[in-house]
Amino acid sequence: MNEDNTVVHLDPLALVTRDRELAEKALNRLSLAGQLRVILSAPLAQREQLISLSRHASVLTQALPVEEFWLTLAGMDTGEAPALLQFASAEQLEFCIDADGWRKDRWQPAPTLRWLQLIAACGETKVAAWWRTIDPELAVLLMKQWITIYLRAGDEDVATVLPWPRPEEPPATFDNAYYFQCQTPQIDEVLRPMLDVLAHHDMPRLRQLFDATIGAIGAEQEEAAYAARERRMADMGFPQLAEAIGCYARVRPEQWPALQRPVDAMTIAGEAAPRFALIPLSASDWLLGQAMRALDDPEDVDRLALEIARLANRVVIADGGSITPASVLHAATKALGYVNIGLELVGGNSLDGAVRALRSWWAQSLFQIGFSAVADLRDRALALWERLAQTGAETPDDPEAALPYERVRAAAWKWPKYYIGPVTPDGVIHRDFRSLADLAAVQTALVALGYGA
């Protein structure tokens, strides 16, 4: 018994795998904001389990930033996804399809169909709500690509009026006016029941959709749907490439003062709190993680979380990759590493200096400072590596002797990496730079191989 009546605060995340009942009590003692922070700090694979413990699972799910909702679903088994999807907001579902349904400017049918299959598994109410909120340009694109539609004139035999995708089956109709047939049995299995829901709930909307599809041109419709998607993704922090690559601007030390945050600039574009991608600072030993925890103003922490989230999304686009859970998580780690290097440089590699720097510098400015340091190192590594290649030097077979060669070689890549060593616990021997100690290790390798000699 706790005789002094002290309240013992239990960590739901630490308890969830050991005592589900106690974890449930601990989670529901927290405010919704507190529960949300527990969810966002949890590994992706455990988030749904924690959400299911909350007495406000629906509200908590919809409170997840849309990008974090998408990442959470990516960490779940497909069969478990409808349990969380049934609570999803329209904005969350829209982002999931926007993220997975496109590879650059090309629409991807298979991932889109998988999302529709998951939505359909949530039941009629969810499907009807999805039809009410789907982007019209995307809706017409799906219909144009997946369905053949014909508006019957008089008493004509629609079965013979045009070549249907599956001529062995009669076309379907809900009103004896518009006839349609899905391109494949797989599409039909998913889409026709969803169209049946739309016909039941909003027949005028279905007829408008059929009319728009009949008049649409496939290539033009894909362009229109992509343009609408790009506008939405920009609002979520994924800008066009021309804007995104600005995060990689190289800056010289004499330019640093101009990059500082104005004293009164405490929000980003009027946003006072994060809307998405609250990236957990799991690397607690980094100076950045220590400085974030040392900030005494929660608004400063939230502002920085939003800045770093937007920065990570810009990195995804600037690196030229597709928007996938893996690319977003990799970009987040990369962004944190370069910001950490910039923070070590600006803050004098001290905790007090780092805390002051977080209050007075934009996260992107710190990223650019860190990236510039890595880029300068890459220039030196590339110059030495090319010189070694011209002399015919080869990497030694002995791992210890080969270490400086491998560090210089990896640092000289187009996207420079830090070579950790020949043996690591997870088998990953290269990663992005994340500290001045990494740069110093490569500089030592450069000297060992005769750079500057």
Side-chain angles (χ1 to χ4, degrees):
M1 181 175 178
N2 186 17
E3 296 182 358
D4 62 359
N5 295 321
T6 300
V7 176
V8 178
H9 295 284
L10 301 176
D11 181 2
L13 180 57
L15 291 168
V16 70
T17 58
R18 296 188 285 111
D19 190 327
R20 181 180 175 87
E21 183 177 349
L22 191 55
E24 181 178 358
K25 291 179 180 178
L27 183 69
N28 284 288
R29 286 176 182 172
L30 302 174
S31 65
L32 276 175
Q35 292 183 37
L36 181 61
R37 290 192 177 279
V38 169
I39 301 302
L40 291 173
S41 66
L44 297 178
Q46 291 184 328
R47 287 183 175 181
E48 189 277 332
Q49 188 179 7
L50 282 165
I51 291 171
S52 69
L53 299 179
S54 175
R55 289 193 291 266
H56 307 285
S58 176
V59 176
L60 186 59
T61 299
Q62 294 191 19
L64 286 172
V66 295
E67 193 174 348
E68 291 290 352
F69 176 82
W70 170 63
L71 291 172
T72 300
L73 284 175
M76 296 170 58
D77 293 334
T78 302
E80 299 173 343
L84 199 61
L85 271 175
Q86 64 179 329
F87 300 136
S89 68
E91 186 181 34
Q92 287 170 331
L93 288 179
E94 184 175 64
F95 181 85
C96 290
I97 297 175
D98 279 344
D100 289 341
W102 297 83
R103 290 296 174 266
K104 298 188 177 180
D105 61 347
R106 305 303 299 175
W107 173 63
Q108 303 297 303
T112 305
L113 188 63
R114 284 198 295 271
W115 277 109
L116 265 61
Q117 189 174 20
L118 291 172
I119 294 169
C122 294
E124 180 175 342
T125 300
K126 196 66 180 179
V127 172
W130 180 76
W131 279 118
R132 288 194 296 270
T133 57
I134 184 176
D135 170 55
E137 300 291 2
L138 177 61
V140 174
L141 174 63
L142 303 187
M143 303 289 279
K144 194 67 180 180
Q145 297 292 339
W146 280 341
I147 301 179
T148 297
I149 303 170
Y150 183 74
L151 177 58
R152 184 181 184 185
D155 296 329
E156 62 186 344
D157 182 5
V158 296
T160 60
V161 74
L162 54 75
W164 294 98
R166 298 172 4 247
E168 69 281 1
E169 300 179 24
T173 183
F174 297 119
D175 59 0
N176 294 318
Y178 291 92
Y179 287 77
F180 67 93
Q181 191 175 83
C182 296
Q183 299 296 325
T184 69
Q186 293 76 18
I187 295 172
D188 186 81
E189 182 180 357
V190 176
L191 193 54
R192 182 147 54 138
M194 297 183 76
L195 290 170
D196 188 27
V197 170
L198 180 57
H200 176 72
H201 285 264
D202 194 347
M203 179 61 79
R205 171 76 187 280
L206 178 61
R207 290 174 177 149
Q208 291 174 358
L209 183 56
F210 278 163
D211 277 337
T213 304
I214 292 172
I217 298 173
E220 293 180 359
Q221 189 59 40
E222 186 171 5
E223 290 180 3
Y226 176 69
R229 181 257 189 184
E230 287 296 274
R231 290 191 292 270
R232 292 190 296 272
M233 294 303 284
D235 289 340
M236 293 296 107
F238 293 93
Q240 294 285 333
L241 177 61
E243 178 184 348
I245 59 177
C247 68
Y248 281 118
R250 292 176 71 165
V251 295
R252 299 183 301 276
E254 59 267 27
Q255 296 174 299
W256 291 3
L259 301 177
Q260 293 190 67
R261 181 196 314 276
V263 175
D264 58 349
M266 299 307 293
T267 63
I268 301 176
E271 297 174 86
R275 293 174 53 212
F276 61 90
L278 289 169
I279 303 168
L281 289 170
S282 57
S284 58
D285 58 328
W286 297 8
L287 182 61
L288 174 59
Q290 297 174 41
M292 287 281 281
R293 289 191 298 275
L295 288 172
D296 52 12
D297 188 342
E299 290 189 5
D300 280 349
V301 176
D302 285 347
R303 172 182 51 75
L304 283 164
L306 176 57
E307 283 189 51
I308 296 172
R310 286 187 174 276
L311 176 59
N313 291 344
R314 289 168 69 95
V315 169
V316 172
I317 302 301
D319 286 357
S322 298
I323 300 173
T324 66
S327 69
V328 168
L329 293 173
H330 173 263
T333 303
K334 184 178 185 179
L336 289 170
Y338 281 14
V339 169
N340 187 66
I341 295 171
L343 193 65
E344 290 178 337
L345 288 167
V346 170
N349 209 9
S350 72
L351 180 57
D352 288 343
V355 171
R356 290 193 297 271
L358 286 182
R359 293 194 179 105
S360 57
W361 294 78
W362 298 109
Q364 178 164 298
S365 298
L366 295 171
F367 177 93
Q368 290 170 337
I369 291 169
F371 163 73
S372 298
V374 174
D376 290 344
L377 182 69
R378 183 214 176 238
D379 291 344
R380 298 194 296 273
L382 181 59
L384 177 59
W385 192 253
E386 289 177 343
R387 196 174 79 193
L388 291 173
Q390 290 172 357
T391 61
E394 296 184 358
T395 303
D397 294 331
D398 177 66
E400 185 174 347
L403 182 62
Y405 287 85
E406 294 293 351
R407 286 207 164 137
V408 170
R409 183 175 70 90
W413 290 344
K414 177 181 178 182
W415 295 107
K417 299 287 185 181
Y418 177 70
Y419 176 72
I420 305 170
V423 179
T424 59
D426 57 4
V428 176
I429 62 175
H430 298 97
R431 59 165 169 75
D432 290 300
F433 285 85
R434 58 177 59 164
S435 69
L436 290 179
D438 291 349
L439 274 68
V442 175
Q443 183 60 40
T444 298
L446 287 167
V447 173
L449 296 182
Y451 181 80

